[in-house]
Amino acid sequence: AIKNDAAAAGWAEMQWGAGKPWQKGATPGVVFIITLGTGIGSVIFVNGHMLTAELGHLQFNSTESEKYAAAIVKSKENLSWREYGERVNWYLQAVETLFAPDVFIIGGGVSEYHDLFFHYLQPKAQVLPASFGNVAGIAGIACAALGTWS
């Protein structure tokens, strides 16, 4: 069952997008998908199996990470791409410490600008932009409605 927009986005990315190589465990591993928007949505796939996660609430200097690194914060605080990339990098490294993913897939509206901030991201895991960007959630709902995900 789809529990939130990040889960729907994750389904789409695993079925048809950047996560397809890890779909159904075809390539074993841990895929961590995040959506950066007004908050930080997250979902984890382990060997193709989805686990929901609400990790936008991780703490950073007494602040929830989504109040520190969500896409909306970039515009509200007028951050440069470097400053924003460094904040997202902190978040990825914190998640990496907890889950040791093989790959991060980053979606949400800001992912269309990945060429402006991905080079500031330095986790050990591979980092990929979401294939569906800001419409991954819609594609995931369509995927579920068509019954193409099990």
Side-chain angles (χ1 to χ4, degrees):
I2 297 175
K3 301 199 185 259
N4 57 43
D5 59 336
W11 279 23
E13 289 297 333
M14 293 298 285
Q15 182 71 24
W16 299 309
K20 191 169 183 171
W22 293 272
Q23 178 197 26
K24 305 273 190 199
T27 301
V30 177
V31 178
F32 194 91
I33 300 173
I34 65 171
T35 57
L36 299 171
T38 56
I40 297 177
S42 57
V43 64
I44 303 166
F45 287 84
V46 179
N47 296 330
H49 300 283
M50 183 174 69
L51 306 170
T52 57
E54 288 292 336
L55 297 176
H57 303 289
L58 288 174
Q59 295 292 305
F60 179 75
N61 291 337
S62 301
T63 302
E64 286 186 355
S65 54
E66 67 183 8
K67 293 178 181 169
Y68 180 74
I72 197 167
V73 175
K74 184 191 181 312
S75 57
K76 278 186 176 179
E77 295 185 21
N78 197 27
L79 299 174
S80 69
W81 284 109
R82 179 182 181 156
E83 291 168 319
Y84 181 66
E86 289 171 351
R87 289 183 179 205
V88 173
N89 186 57
W90 169 86
Y91 177 76
L92 296 181
Q93 290 181 344
V95 167
E96 193 166 53
T97 299
L98 296 171
F99 296 99
D102 297 292
V103 64
F104 285 104
I105 298 173
I106 299 178
V110 74
S111 66
E112 96 177 68
Y113 303 105
H114 67 274
D115 57 326
L116 299 175
F117 73 99
F118 269 28
H119 55 280
Y120 299 113
L121 309 180
Q122 300 177 354
K124 294 175 188 163
Q126 180 180 12
V127 180
L128 301 172
S131 297
F132 292 99
N134 204 31
V135 299
I138 295 166
I141 294 295
C143 180
L146 294 171
T148 58
W149 185 273
S150 56

